[in-house]
Amino acid sequence: MLEKLMKKIEKNCTNINKEMVKKAYQFADKAHKKQKRESGDPYIMHPVEVACILADMGMDTSTIVAGLLHDVVEDTDFTHDDITREFSAEVANLVEGVTKLGRLEYKTRKEQQADNVRKMLLAMAKDIRVILIKLADRLHNMRTLKYMPVEKQKEKSKETLDIYAPLAHRLGISKVKWELEDLSLRYLNPNEYYFIVRKIAEKRGEREKHIEQIIHELKENLEDAEIDSDIAGRPKHFYSIYRKMVNKNKTIDQIFDLTAVRVLVDTVKDCYAALGIAHTMYKPIPGRFKDYIAMPKPNMYQSLHSTVIGPQGKPFEIQIRTFEMHKTAEYGIAAHWKYKEGVSTEDTIDKKLTWIREMLDWQTQTSDADEFMEGFKIDLFSDEVFVFTPQGNVINLPYEATPIDFAYKIHTDIGNNCAGAKVNGKMVPLDYKLKTGEIVEISVSSVPKGPSIDWLNVVKSNQAKSKIKSWFKKARKEENILKGKELLEKETKKHGYNLGDITKEDGITAILKKYNMNSIEDLYAAIGIGVVNLPTIVSKLTDIHEAMVKKNITDWRVIQDQFNKNSNRQVRNKKKSPGIIVKGETNVLVRFAQCCNPVPGDSILGYITKGRGVSIHRYDCKNLEHLLKNKENKLIEVSWGRPKGEEYITEIQIKSEDRPGLLADSMEVVSNSKTSLYAVDAKPSKNGIAIITMKLKITDINDLKDVIKKLRKMSGTIEVYRTNS
């Protein structure tokens, strides 16, 4: 295994510290000595294969070493400090970055998936090599997925298709992207996959003969023009064929361009010369030419693409690029890595990765999981259009983007005040779908009016969506305050009171204190969005007012004391919230549902209750699923604020082979962690399997993950999981 890795390093890498690589192999081999893969193979095979994939990309010493060690901290007793001491802080930080992403346990809930993607974006912003190691890790796991249960195969394949393949695409690593997609299709749609494999195999001989003829003709003509070239046929990947069959409703017999011809030349000048020769030899199909050399894709891909009519009247695609462009097309960001060959290209790399920071900006404003994941895929995996400003600057946008997307790409103020658009000098509606090569000009309103809410259904880019939402979030708070004040005023008049009399500065303090609010505007906003019970508020305010009038009390502090003493015991004794934000508003009365016991870090959703504020549920709570079906209008967007160290009770179950000392060992693990045991229940199950249920006190989700990780390492443990309602 080590010899195989060293050969790949010799072939693809430069300036590699081979002694450190050998040391890392020996360290990993020792650490994983007693562990085996699902296939029964020694575990060390996995990190070596991951390192081999990284070596194929031509990565640096630290990345290859971290690839060998990427599971050591996660699955063995060695720590971050051990890696730092034995290797370097750089290697240790890379391993730690991958370890944090190591348990991206995919769930069907988009909330969990969205949280995982956010973690990856943060890791990418810190050091992009963390994601390259993770992609290599996922690729080898997909190659060996046949040893996993069928349900796990589908789960991992869906996650790969949703997250990892798009990431590989956005980083320009097409060699990894295509293999991930084909492997995912194999397990998600095995019938379609093997049908395509069989059909392609049936006509392989005929197709190869056809392509060989084209290659021979092209080679002769390029040599006559004194252009050195390397020409080869590139069969289309199975997933690409599958998508074309599904999206265009075609049978495989109706797809002619199952193979593309790739021409590699020395210079950009030769690329265009080769294109001219190809178009002279074969008739190009109108509208099927793309120049990605003049306008590279955001993932750095450069090439000339043209579909032409070949011999026997069959269309085929021809791709022309330089050898350097081909290296970038295969390995993307890895082909330009700043640590390679000792040459610092940090500024260039940073410019190529600005999209990560842009994604981080908009994702912080997007709490809806479905919207986040949809936007993530649009940003990473959609086709692009390239349009021009009147000054000739190229702007790339998602496929089917509109002039509004263009306006927000130029500047937020231009987007917010966009009043009209011209494309190629002609007026177009704002929902016009832009096409590559068009010149776009935006006209701005002289009177600032802000965006229209309908624009959210029109724009395609996440950047535009987040900026529109940001504008409305700010405007909506003012609307909610006005709406809440109006509702409160109407309700008080029904009871024969004047709003100004019962909301005097001192009098309202008791209500604000009860609902943990800072100002009367917070109260108005809470009433406006419906998270507090209006009749209850009015009743309390009028009670205070009547008590003052009846007893002729002028000291409002006495009234406040009486009011607080008579407050509902549950409210008075409720645990302080770690700062739950309700639809953008803080200081709203909340309580945590006991059916699912959410803790800081969980994905959550709120349910508006009568007179008791907002009930906070975990997103995967079964009771919440019932509420989603029956009371959708009562659900409200909530998120965690800053935790303040409060303890929360949560429940886990341990499924293990029954053995002496199992309960004692489990309790010892808990006592040695950051959690404390609240209650425990153990019972034997069938077939020698024991189930232990534990209630733990924790401060946030990371404490829970830590103790679960340690419990999973116990001898005989089959599964450790958090219970659901």
Side-chain angles (χ1 to χ4, degrees):
M1 286 185 289
L2 180 59
E3 185 180 348
K4 175 185 174 182
L5 173 59
M6 299 311 292
K7 282 181 179 178
K8 285 186 177 288
I9 289 172
E10 193 73 38
K11 180 182 177 182
N12 302 302
C13 307
T14 56
N15 295 332
I16 298 294
N17 185 336
K18 295 177 183 177
E19 291 305 313
M20 185 179 283
V21 173
K22 290 176 183 177
K23 180 182 176 182
Y25 168 81
Q26 292 161 358
F27 189 95
D29 188 32
K30 180 182 177 182
H32 295 296
K33 200 74 178 176
K34 297 179 181 179
Q35 298 174 336
K36 289 189 180 296
R37 298 275 286 169
E38 292 285 342
S39 62
D41 294 323
Y43 194 90
I44 186 63
M45 286 188 69
H46 171 63
V48 170
E49 288 296 335
V50 169
C52 284
I53 293 168
L54 294 167
D56 282 335
M57 294 181 189
M59 294 306 295
D60 59 296
T61 301
S62 294
T63 309
I64 294 172
V65 168
L68 285 166
L69 303 172
H70 77 274
D71 276 335
V72 167
V73 174
E74 178 78 17
D75 295 332
T76 75
D77 294 330
F78 288 102
T79 65
H80 177 275
D81 291 340
D82 294 329
I83 304 296
T84 303
R85 185 168 53 254
E86 292 292 329
F87 297 94
S88 69
E90 183 183 7
V91 170
N93 290 335
L94 287 171
V95 172
E96 183 183 33
V98 179
T99 301
K100 286 181 178 177
L101 301 176
R103 292 204 178 274
L104 293 185
E105 297 178 359
Y106 179 72
K107 297 182 179 179
T108 54
R109 290 287 183 187
K110 288 276 182 72
E111 279 285 346
Q112 184 65 36
Q113 194 182 48
D115 285 345
N116 294 339
V117 172
R118 286 185 171 105
K119 288 177 188 174
M120 284 198 289
L121 288 174
L122 290 168
M124 289 163 73
K126 192 172 183 180
D127 193 329
I128 195 69
R129 291 177 296 174
V130 170
I131 298 303
L132 298 180
I133 298 168
K134 188 62 189 172
L135 284 172
D137 171 53
R138 175 51 60 109
L139 179 56
H140 183 249
N141 282 333
M142 290 299 294
R143 287 174 178 173
T144 56
L145 200 58
K146 63 182 178 181
Y147 299 106
M148 301 292 285
V150 174
E151 185 180 340
K152 203 74 174 175
Q153 289 174 354
K154 291 187 178 295
E155 188 178 289
K156 290 293 180 186
S157 297
K158 181 69 166 64
E159 182 184 53
T160 299
L161 214 51
D162 282 348
I163 296 177
Y164 291 101
L167 272 173
H169 167 76
R170 196 60 176 82
L171 294 170
I173 314 173
S174 62
K175 197 163 187 176
V176 172
K177 172 211 166 192
W178 287 119
E179 189 174 354
L180 288 175
E181 287 179 337
D182 284 354
L183 289 167
S184 298
L185 178 63
R186 176 182 172 184
Y187 294 106
L188 287 173
N189 301 93
N191 293 335
E192 289 88 341
Y193 175 83
Y194 287 110
F195 170 78
I196 293 170
V197 172
R198 189 171 64 252
K199 281 289 187 181
I200 287 177
E202 286 174 4
K203 295 188 177 181
R204 178 176 285 121
E206 177 188 334
R207 194 166 55 253
E208 287 178 351
K209 186 178 179 181
H210 176 65
I211 291 297
E212 282 172 11
Q213 179 187 346
I214 293 169
I215 291 173
H216 178 71
E217 291 174 354
L218 265 174
K219 189 76 175 174
E220 278 190 344
N221 279 268
L222 290 174
E223 284 177 354
D224 289 343
E226 298 183 349
I227 297 174
D228 291 331
S229 63
D230 185 354
I231 309 176
R234 182 189 69 80
K236 276 196 178 290
H237 298 272
F238 300 135
Y239 184 72
S240 175
I241 296 169
Y242 170 74
R243 282 187 66 192
K244 188 168 282 192
M245 290 170 64
V246 171
N247 294 342
K248 297 187 177 180
N249 196 25
K250 288 185 175 183
T251 66
I252 195 166
D253 295 323
Q254 294 173 310
I255 301 174
F256 297 107
D257 56 338
L258 293 176
T259 306
V261 174
R262 179 184 293 144
V263 180
L264 304 182
V265 294
D266 292 323
T267 66
V268 173
K269 181 182 175 182
D270 287 344
C271 288
Y272 289 101
L275 177 70
I277 291 169
H279 281 184
T280 304
M281 294 172 60
Y282 309 112
K283 193 171 185 178
I285 297 176
R288 296 296 300 273
F289 169 66
K290 294 177 181 176
D291 187 344
Y292 293 120
I293 293 179
M295 292 185 289
K297 289 187 176 184
N299 64 3
M300 299 178 293
Y301 179 84
Q302 286 185 288
S303 187
L304 298 176
H305 289 199
S306 183
T307 304
V308 298
I309 304 295
Q312 304 166 16
K314 293 182 179 179
F316 71 95
E317 185 181 54
I318 182 168
Q319 300 173 355
I320 306 170
R321 63 184 77 133
T322 67
F323 289 95
E324 189 63 32
M325 289 173 189
H326 180 60
K327 194 176 181 183
T328 300
E330 294 279 291
Y331 297 113
I333 196 74
H336 294 270
W337 189 246
K338 60 185 174 183
Y339 293 105
K340 287 175 61 178
E341 300 175 5
V343 179
S344 176
T345 56
E346 190 167 346
D347 291 341
T348 305
I349 294 295
D350 285 347
K351 286 177 184 176
K352 300 294 184 186
L353 298 176
T354 52
W355 60 272
I356 297 175
R357 288 186 287 276
E358 288 177 1
M359 288 185 73
L360 282 170
D361 287 342
W362 69 257
Q363 65 91 12
T364 56
Q365 302 178 37
T366 308
S367 56
D368 181 79
D370 286 323
E371 181 187 341
F372 177 83
M373 289 309 300
E374 180 189 352
F376 174 77
K377 292 171 191 173
I378 287 172
D379 258 13
L380 294 193
F381 218 16
S382 69
D383 291 330
E384 297 92 15
V385 294
F386 299 88
V387 295
F388 295 92
T389 67
Q391 291 76 35
N393 296 321
V394 179
I395 303 294
N396 66 287
L397 295 165
Y399 179 66
E400 294 190 337
T402 67
I404 305 171
D405 291 287
F406 177 88
Y408 277 106
K409 186 85 172 185
I410 301 300
H411 196 278
T412 303
D413 289 340
I414 293 175
N416 286 339
N417 298 298
C418 175
K422 286 182 180 180
V423 171
N424 295 338
K426 294 182 179 179
M427 291 295 294
V428 295
L430 290 178
D431 61 355
Y432 174 84
K433 292 178 174 56
L434 297 173
K435 300 176 188 67
T436 293
E438 293 178 327
I439 301 172
V440 186
E441 187 177 353
I442 300 297
S443 57
V444 178
S445 172
S446 56
V447 180
K449 58 176 183 175
S452 165
I453 193 70
D454 296 331
W455 289 3
L456 287 171
N457 300 319
V458 172
V459 296
K460 294 295 179 183
S461 65
N462 293 310
Q463 184 184 28
K465 285 181 182 178
S466 66
K467 288 179 177 178
I468 293 168
K469 284 184 176 178
S470 179
W471 190 92
F472 276 103
K473 184 178 179 181
K474 185 177 179 181
R476 216 171 253 155
K477 181 168 184 178
E478 296 171 1
E479 289 176 12
N480 287 332
I481 289 172
L482 291 173
K483 182 181 177 182
K485 185 175 182 180
E486 184 180 337
L487 289 171
L488 185 58
E489 192 165 18
K490 283 182 179 179
E491 189 69 19
T492 53
K493 283 183 178 177
K494 281 184 189 178
H495 293 77
Y497 294 94
N498 184 287
L499 181 63
D501 291 338
I502 65 171
T503 57
K504 289 180 180 177
E505 186 177 348
D506 289 335
I508 198 67
T509 304
I511 294 291
L512 298 180
K513 187 175 180 181
K514 170 181 164 58
Y515 288 99
N516 195 27
M517 295 177 181
N518 295 323
S519 68
I520 195 167
E521 282 76 20
D522 289 342
L523 177 63
Y524 290 151
I527 294 170
I529 61 177
V531 297
V532 294
N533 186 270
L534 183 56
T536 302
I537 295 291
V538 173
S539 175
K540 297 298 181 185
L541 283 170
T542 53
D543 284 350
I544 293 173
H545 181 73
E546 287 300 320
M548 183 202 71
V549 172
K550 186 181 289 186
K551 297 182 179 180
N552 197 25
I553 297 174
T554 56
D555 188 349
W556 278 96
R557 286 173 297 181
V558 176
I559 298 294
Q560 289 169 26
D561 290 342
Q562 290 178 359
F563 177 78
N564 290 332
K565 286 176 184 177
N566 295 328
S567 291
N568 182 284
R569 183 178 300 273
Q570 183 180 353
V571 173
R572 208 173 64 229
N573 293 331
K574 77 178 181 72
K575 187 184 293 182
K576 287 185 179 180
S577 159
I580 293 291
I581 300 169
V582 179
K583 208 171 183 180
E585 301 290 340
T586 53
N587 300 322
V588 174
L589 179 65
V590 298
R591 65 186 184 87
F592 297 100
Q594 294 183 0
C595 52
C596 56
N597 294 318
V599 300
D602 281 333
S603 298
I604 53 176
L605 196 61
Y607 175 71
I608 301 171
T609 61
K610 285 189 176 181
R612 298 167 69 192
V614 178
S615 178
I616 308 299
H617 292 258
R618 273 168 44 197
Y619 205 93
D620 57 357
C621 175
K622 290 179 181 176
N623 286 342
L624 191 57
E625 287 183 10
H626 176 72
L627 297 173
L628 277 164
K629 293 176 183 175
N630 298 289
K631 298 285 184 181
E632 194 168 351
N633 61 320
K634 295 244 181 161
L635 295 175
I636 191 166
E637 179 185 306
V638 296
S639 59
W640 293 100
R642 294 182 179 178
K644 299 179 181 177
E646 291 87 354
E647 288 188 326
Y648 298 82
I649 295 174
T650 191
E651 187 176 275
I652 63 170
Q653 281 193 347
I654 305 165
K655 186 179 179 183
S656 174
E657 296 172 4
D658 204 356
R659 61 175 175 81
L662 172 62
L663 181 59
D665 289 347
S666 303
M667 294 173 71
E668 184 179 0
V669 168
V670 173
S671 67
N672 291 334
S673 68
K674 295 178 183 178
T675 61
S676 56
L677 190 62
Y678 182 76
V680 64
D681 177 47
K683 57 183 178 181
S685 187
K686 295 179 181 178
N687 304 321
I689 303 299
I691 304 290
I692 299 175
T693 302
M694 288 182 167
K695 286 189 176 181
L696 309 174
K697 284 184 178 180
I698 64 172
T699 55
D700 64 34
I701 198 70
N702 292 324
D703 293 348
L704 181 61
K705 287 180 178 178
D706 182 61
V707 75
I708 287 176
K709 174 182 171 182
K710 290 175 180 175
L711 288 167
R712 281 176 175 154
K713 292 181 181 178
M714 289 194 312
S715 174
T717 301
I718 299 170
E719 193 175 5
V720 184
Y721 51 91
R722 186 176 177 186
T723 60
N724 206 341
S725 56

